[in-house]
Amino acid sequence: MASRREDDSYTNASVFEASMEEGRKDKSEAFADAAGQLHPQEDAADGDGSGDAVCGLPASVPFIQQLIAEFFATFFLIFAGCGVITVNDKTGMATFPGVAVVWGMTVMAMIYAVGHVSGAHINPAVTVGFAISGRFPWRKVPAYVVVQTVAATAASLVLRLMFGREHGVAAVNAPTGPSGQSLVLEFFITFYLMFVIMAVATDDRAVGQMAGLAVGGTIMLNALFAGPVSGASMNPARSIGPALVENKYRALWVYIFGPFAGAAAGAWAYNLIRHTDKTLGEITKSTSRRTNN
């Protein structure tokens, strides 16, 4: 019997097969069915303490490659995005729409460059959103988040060395109005960013090859209308990195809590409309069974 090959590499850098006899499955269901078979060596190392591990996390070559890819992608995102903000603040030549385009195009380029390696999360909120929706293993979340934050801090430090104090004045996020206003805005723009990511990266019905364009376009649109109010962070690492380098933490909690909450809600919301052949009763029973276990 021929098998159907499902590529979910943008989400979790994994490829698996599902039998045609099982009919059409959305990626969430197929991922759940195959989760125990994707990386048996890593699972064995995690479970019994044998094999190579670092702080309880699998230290396989593919996992290390994923972390390196996340570091490079996040570094370039912050270097290019915060760099163009600083340059525009000095010369005004980039213009505000140009700044938004740089952020969106950089994300798009990195998705196409390393999406097949690490998933190109480039954002701790996206990583947590994927994990909450069952699209990414929780055991890998801490390492991803640490690497993304370190990369953002390193990029900010390089920009600081290049531009001096001007970088901190331009690149550190801070609300232009009440903190509550920016918190709500960060929640909603991250919600829709994660909603789009879930659609193009995890659903068979979407055109996966357009993921970079769709996600990059969403970031550009969010930056255009939310940038003047909150800075349109949508990414805790993007805010934490410059804040650490410049030692400025005013309203930093807005840019941590807002994106994390928004990404979690966005991932959950898309799962509500994901294709399934199950009845409402079957879904309810399945949810109840997982809760009891």
Side-chain angles (χ1 to χ4, degrees):
M1 176 63 69
S3 61
R4 177 169 60 89
R5 187 176 177 85
E6 303 223 16
D7 189 349
D8 198 22
S9 59
Y10 175 59
T11 305
N12 51 44
S14 62
V15 179
F16 53 88
E17 296 182 353
S19 171
M20 289 292 288
E21 294 178 350
E22 296 175 1
R24 180 178 178 82
K25 285 186 178 182
D26 67 74
K27 290 186 178 181
S28 285
E29 293 175 286
F31 176 79
D33 292 343
Q37 304 173 11
L38 292 179
H39 305 289
Q41 293 90 349
E42 290 184 5
D43 291 339
D46 290 344
D48 58 14
S50 61
D52 296 331
V54 177
C55 298
L57 295 172
S60 63
V61 171
F63 181 54
I64 293 173
Q65 290 174 329
Q66 290 167 14
L67 296 181
I68 294 173
E70 282 295 303
F71 181 91
F72 287 154
T74 308
F75 183 96
F76 185 56
L77 172 65
I78 304 305
F79 183 78
C82 291
V84 74
I85 291 174
T86 306
V87 170
N88 186 62
D89 194 59
K90 288 184 63 176
T91 67
M93 295 182 66
T95 72
F96 174 66
V99 171
V101 169
V102 168
W103 282 102
M105 292 291 288
T106 304
V107 169
M108 181 182 71
M110 290 300 97
I111 287 175
Y112 289 130
V114 302
H116 58 286
V117 179
S118 68
H121 297 182
I122 329 175
N123 184 337
V126 170
T127 298
V128 170
F130 276 138
I132 287 175
S133 64
R135 307 302 306 170
F136 189 75
W138 276 105
R139 68 181 185 276
K140 292 185 177 182
V141 170
Y144 263 58
V145 171
V146 168
V147 165
Q148 291 156 355
T149 305
V150 169
T153 305
S156 298
L157 182 59
V158 171
L159 290 171
R160 168 73 182 197
L161 295 174
M162 291 173 58
F163 296 106
R165 186 174 180 274
E166 293 174 347
H167 164 63
V169 173
V172 174
N173 274 328
T176 58
S179 295
Q181 182 185 63
S182 292
L183 176 65
V184 173
L185 196 56
E186 286 293 321
F187 173 87
F188 279 109
I189 61 178
T190 311
F191 175 97
Y192 281 106
L193 171 62
M194 192 70 208
F195 191 85
V196 170
I197 291 173
M198 289 290 293
V200 297
T202 71
D203 199 322
D204 291 340
R205 297 171 296 172
V207 182
Q209 293 84 351
M210 300 298 290
L213 184 60
V215 176
T218 302
I219 289 176
M220 183 175 67
L221 290 173
N222 285 344
L224 283 172
F225 81 85
V229 179
S230 70
S233 173
M234 298 171 276
N235 185 337
R238 179 264 178 269
S239 297
I240 292 173
L244 289 175
V245 171
E246 301 299 331
N247 197 31
K248 295 181 179 179
Y249 308 104
R250 184 175 76 87
L252 181 60
W253 65 273
V254 168
Y255 301 99
I256 297 175
F257 180 76
F260 274 123
W268 175 81
Y270 191 81
N271 276 344
L272 289 179
I273 63 171
R274 186 182 297 278
H275 172 78
T276 179
D277 293 326
K278 294 181 179 180
T279 66
L280 182 59
E282 290 173 331
I283 294 174
T284 303
K285 290 179 181 178
S286 177
T287 303
S288 177
R289 187 162 53 249
R290 287 197 301 267
T291 302
N292 291 335
N293 291 338

